[in-house]
Amino acid sequence: MLLQTVQQHILEEQRRHHPQASGEFSWLLSGITLATKIIAAQVRRAGISADVLGATDNENVQGEVQQKLDVIANQVLMKFLGNRGNVAIMASEEDDDPVVVERDRKHGKHVVVFDPLDGSSNIDVNVSVGTIFSILKREPDPTGTRDIMSDVLQPGYRQIAAGYVVYGSSTMLVYTAGNGVAGFTLDPSIGAYLLSHEKITMPECGKQYSCNEANYDSFPDEYKEYLSILRSGKTGRTYSSRYIGSLVADFHRMLLKGGVFIYPPTKSHSTGKLRLLYEANPIAMLAEQAGGMATDGRKRILEIQPTTLHQRTPLVVGSREEMALLAKIMQ
Ligand code: P6P
């Protein structure tokens, strides 16, 4: 395997697929790689640094108690994406509204939507967490007067790139720019993400499903039937249940091993718990680019037209065979 950094990989990709491309995208992504290296360093030392472990006294727009690391991760991403010069708007799970980079509002061609530290309630118990990002294009706005929400509320098929960093047993960046999925492992000894998974493809089927079964009683009947078939062996495969409660970690397993991740509507979240713009959309782009599928149970995630920044959706994402079975049940 080539010892290739993210920047080298992107430039290689652009040379192959977009020879006319400027270095804009690779410069933008360098903001994410730098920010997530800083976040990784903070996550790795959370237990020994009282100023980063634990919760703040604040709640975010979701009504969730903000962990100190949530705030740190959000600030770091805002700083290193905001100074790229080609990002006009940033929207975060942690903030009520999008942030406009005023000096780049007129000419900036990108919008970045992100969940700075997904699953952060797991940090105190040393469980993997992640950063999820979605990159959208926008037309320049010469007058600087366009409604910014029209640039943010784009359906997922409009993403030009998407990815995540999983802070697990190793720190891995997984991203796609529409030409397949690549994985990079952070080498802390040199502070660089190095290509470790050149082309990630999701197996056609798997042996694991991932779901919070504590919500089973409030699942719609079709999901109960679906889980019953997976458990029964009627597919010809026996399944194990794996659920960490951290989307990036649960999805990363599906991406590499195959299977299905299921977050249906529940009693407490009747429209689903996961957020469309900065969780479901980037995960769905990665899944499709790796040969898998992602729906809200019925509709392709990437075709959902967002109406609000923090809107939620049911999410079922995984291998083609498991997704085909669900589609058959939902007919
Ligand atoms: P539950 C973490 O809070 C998160 O947003 C995702 O990372 C994860 O998949 C989900 O919520 C877990 O939700 O209801 O199973 O605890």
Side-chain angles (χ1 to χ4, degrees):
M1 173 94 58
L2 283 174
L3 269 188
Q4 201 175 47
T5 65
V6 178
Q7 304 316 323
Q8 288 166 330
H9 185 265
I10 292 168
L11 294 175
E12 186 63 34
E13 285 261 298
Q14 283 178 342
R15 214 184 344 267
R16 201 177 301 150
H17 301 285
H18 308 285
Q20 79 290 352
S22 67
E24 283 221 23
F25 177 68
S26 60
W27 175 238
L28 191 164
L29 208 63
S30 69
I32 291 176
T33 52
L34 179 54
T36 55
K37 287 178 201 173
I38 293 169
I39 295 168
Q42 294 291 344
V43 167
R44 300 280 172 229
R45 57 189 294 275
I48 52 178
S49 172
D51 57 337
V52 299
L53 196 58
T56 66
D57 299 331
N58 312 318
E59 281 191 357
N60 63 18
V61 64
Q62 325 288 341
E64 295 166 346
V65 173
Q66 277 188 316
Q67 302 297 312
K68 290 176 187 171
L69 268 173
D70 283 328
V71 175
I72 293 169
N74 196 42
Q75 289 168 342
V76 167
L77 278 160
M78 287 287 177
K79 176 180 168 63
F80 289 106
L81 281 170
N83 68 9
R84 293 296 98 177
N86 55 20
V87 176
I89 304 167
M90 299 177 288
S92 168
E93 189 240 9
E94 294 299 332
D95 296 325
D96 300 11
D97 302 306
V99 171
V100 177
V101 184
E102 285 303 339
R103 73 170 177 279
D104 300 321
R105 176 174 196 149
K106 292 183 178 177
H107 64 274
K109 297 178 194 157
H110 300 93
V111 177
V112 185
V113 188
F114 53 86
D115 186 348
L117 206 59
D118 180 71
S120 55
S121 55
N122 291 305
I123 287 174
D124 294 5
V125 292
N126 207 13
V127 164
S128 302
V129 292
T131 296
I132 315 173
F133 60 90
S134 167
I135 302 175
L136 297 159
K137 271 283 197 196
R138 74 185 281 268
E139 292 306 313
D141 175 15
T143 64
T145 56
R146 186 194 307 145
D147 169 23
I148 60 169
M149 291 314 287
S150 65
D151 288 331
V152 175
L153 300 178
Q154 300 184 51
Y157 68 81
R158 301 279 296 276
Q159 295 174 103
I160 61 165
Y164 57 79
V165 173
V166 52
Y167 309 103
S169 47
S170 67
T171 298
M172 257 193 83
L173 166 70
V174 175
Y175 96 97
T176 181
N179 302 297
V181 178
F184 299 80
T185 300
L186 180 64
D187 180 342
S189 66
I190 57 171
Y193 283 106
L194 298 178
L195 185 66
S196 52
H197 299 67
E198 191 157 5
K199 190 165 178 60
I200 299 176
T201 52
M202 194 186 284
E204 281 287 312
C205 61
K207 295 181 177 177
Q208 294 171 336
Y209 67 79
S210 187
C211 165
N212 184 342
E213 301 191 62
N215 300 321
Y216 178 86
D217 290 349
S218 65
F219 287 171
D221 290 342
E222 298 91 337
Y223 289 94
K224 292 179 178 176
E225 182 185 354
Y226 182 56
L227 284 170
S228 165
I229 292 171
L230 292 180
R231 291 172 183 149
S232 69
K234 285 176 187 167
T235 63
R237 286 182 301 281
T238 52
Y239 283 85
S240 293
S241 176
R242 292 284 185 281
Y243 192 74
I244 294 178
S246 188
L247 175 61
V248 170
D250 282 321
F251 174 70
H252 189 66
R253 179 193 316 104
M254 292 301 144
L255 188 65
L256 298 179
K257 301 285 188 188
V260 62
F261 171 89
I262 313 152
Y263 206 110
T266 65
K267 187 175 177 184
S268 54
H269 292 97
S270 58
T271 59
K273 176 183 182 185
L274 300 174
R275 292 77 161 191
L276 175 62
L277 278 170
Y278 41 80
E279 289 177 332
N281 273 346
I283 291 296
M285 181 177 184
L286 288 162
E288 292 194 1
Q289 282 289 317
M293 295 172 71
T295 72
D296 66 359
R298 286 186 163 83
K299 183 173 183 179
R300 183 179 176 230
I301 288 288
L302 296 184
E303 289 178 358
I304 297 174
Q305 173 57 53
T307 51
T308 60
L309 174 58
H310 299 292
Q311 78 182 62
R312 299 175 188 265
T313 176
L315 174 65
V316 187
V317 55
S319 298
R320 302 192 77 81
E321 286 193 26
E322 280 83 356
M323 295 302 290
L325 172 61
L326 180 71
K328 192 174 170 189
I329 293 170
M330 290 293 186
Q331 274 173 353

